[in-house]
Amino acid sequence: MKHIAIIAPDGQSNLSSVACIVGSYEIFSEANSYWEKNGHKPLYEVEIVGVSEQAVFSKGLVSIRPHTHINSLDKTDLIIIPSLAHDYESALAGNVAMVDWLSRQYKNGAELASMCTGAFMLASAGLLNGKVCSTHWSAVNTFSILFPNVKLRSHRTITDEAGIYTNGGAYSFLNLLVHLVEKFYDRPTAIFCAKLFQIEINREFQSIFTIFSGQKLHDDEEIKLAQQYIESKIDEKISVDQLSSRFSIGRRNFDRRFVKATGNTPLEYAQRVKIEAAKRAFENTRKTINEVMYEIGYSDLKAFREVFRKITGMSPMEYRERYNKSVVDS
C-alpha cells in the first residue's frame, strides 16, 4: 500500500491550517472508501505526521495528535503541506526540521503539495527555485521578495510541475485536493469527491478573488511616489513617458526599477489599479458598464472588456451580475 502524509506544522499555524489538515484527511479517506467499494484493493494509507506529539493551533483552541513523527516515516508517496501563519519568517524558522525532511523525501521520490501559504515552506527548502507556484494573493508581495527565483503564478488556482503541486488562497485547497484525487486515484473518484463535498471541479484561476492593494513592500521611494501618483489619477490615461519624465528618471531605467519594485510594468500596474476600482464600483453601485469604464479613464469598451477579463478572468457584465447584491436581488 502506498502512503499519503499530511503535515501538522509545529505551532506556526492558524485555523486555516487546521481546515487544510482535516479537509485533506477527510477527502482522501472518502476517496479510499469509494475506491475500495468499486472493487479495487486498498491504495493509500493516509496519516497526519508532525514533529511533536501534539500540534496546537490558535492559542490552544484546537489541537491535533499526529499519527506519527516525521523521523519515524522513512518513505511516503505524497506529502500535503497546509497553510502557515501569516508571520511567515517565524513559521519557517519554527519548522526547520520539517523543511529538511521535505527535501529528503522529495529527493527520494515523494511528490509534494502545498496549500495556500504552505508554499513558503516549499520555497524555503529551495524546492521551488526555477519552478512555477501559486499562493494566496495577499502573500504575493512578501513571497516575491523572499523568493525571487520562484516563478510565481498568483492568478492560478493550481500549479503542477515536476511532482510539486501548489494552490492559491484559503479554501481553494479543496480544488487542489480534487485535482490530487484525480491524479493519484482516477477521474471517477475525483468526480465522486467533488460531488460529495460540493467542490467545483477544474477551477483554474483565482484572479477573480484577488484584491489588488499595490505592492509597496520595497525601498525605492521614487517608485512608491510613482505608484501613489498612478493611484491618484485613476480617471486619467497616463503614459509611461509622462511618469518617467515627472520623476526625472530615464524611461528604460524607470521601467526596470518599477518592475523590480512591484513585479509589474507601469502599464500593468495602472491597469490593475483601474480594474480594482471598477470591481468596487460593480460591487457597490448600480452604475452601468459604460459609466464605470469612463470613470476609470477608458473610452474604448472593447479595450476595457479585454483588460478586465485578462485581470479577473471574466467580463465586466459577468462580474457585476455575480457580485452586485442589488443586481442579484432585482
Side-chain angles (χ1 to χ4, degrees), residues 141-175:
N141 294 352
T142 304
F143 190 97
S144 298
I145 291 169
L146 291 176
F147 308 111
N149 295 324
V150 179
K151 299 174 182 177
L152 191 58
R153 301 289 186 266
S154 59
H155 65 291
R156 302 287 305 187
T157 301
I158 297 168
T159 67
D160 178 340
E161 181 180 2
I164 295 180
Y165 313 86
T166 69
N167 88 283
Y171 284 74
S172 68
F173 77 82
L174 295 168
N175 301 99

Side-chain angles (χ1 to χ4, degrees), residues 79-243:
I79 301 172
I80 307 294
I81 303 161
S83 64
L84 298 176
H86 286 184
D87 184 1
Y88 308 114
E89 295 186 11
S90 297
L92 298 176
N95 285 284
V96 172
M98 188 71 75
V99 169
D100 291 341
W101 181 78
L102 286 173
S103 298
R104 291 197 304 272
Q105 289 292 336
Y106 184 63
K107 289 178 183 177
N108 289 335
E111 299 193 34
L112 310 175
S114 71
M115 297 171 165
C116 192
T117 51
F120 281 76
M121 188 178 288
L122 280 180
S124 69
L127 298 173
L128 290 176
N129 287 341
K131 298 185 180 70
V132 297
C133 94
S134 186
T135 190
H136 197 288
W137 56 261
S138 67
V140 166
N141 294 352
T142 304
F143 190 97
S144 298
I145 291 169
L146 291 176
F147 308 111
N149 295 324
V150 179
K151 299 174 182 177
L152 191 58
R153 301 289 186 266
S154 59
H155 65 291
R156 302 287 305 187
T157 301
I158 297 168
T159 67
D160 178 340
E161 181 180 2
I164 295 180
Y165 313 86
T166 69
N167 88 283
Y171 284 74
S172 68
F173 77 82
L174 295 168
N175 301 99
L176 174 62
L177 287 172
V178 172
H179 178 81
L180 292 172
V181 169
E182 180 173 359
K183 195 105 177 181
F184 285 81
Y185 294 80
D186 59 13
R187 179 75 173 178
T189 307
I191 291 173
F192 169 77
C193 288
K195 289 182 176 180
L196 181 64
F197 293 99
Q198 300 185 41
I199 304 167
E200 184 180 348
I201 200 165
N202 295 336
R203 183 161 70 82
E204 297 183 7
F205 302 102
Q206 65 170 355
S207 311
I208 190 173
F209 303 109
T210 301
I211 301 174
F212 184 70
S213 57
Q215 305 98 316
K216 297 188 176 74
L217 297 177
H218 59 83
D219 299 320
D220 194 325
E221 296 303 324
E222 288 180 304
I223 297 302
K224 283 183 182 178
L225 290 174
Q227 290 174 263
Q228 292 167 9
Y229 184 78
I230 291 171
E231 292 162 11
S232 71
K233 302 292 183 181
I234 201 165
D235 59 336
E236 298 181 15
K237 186 175 182 179
I238 307 170
S239 73
V240 181
D241 286 331
Q242 284 178 294
L243 281 170

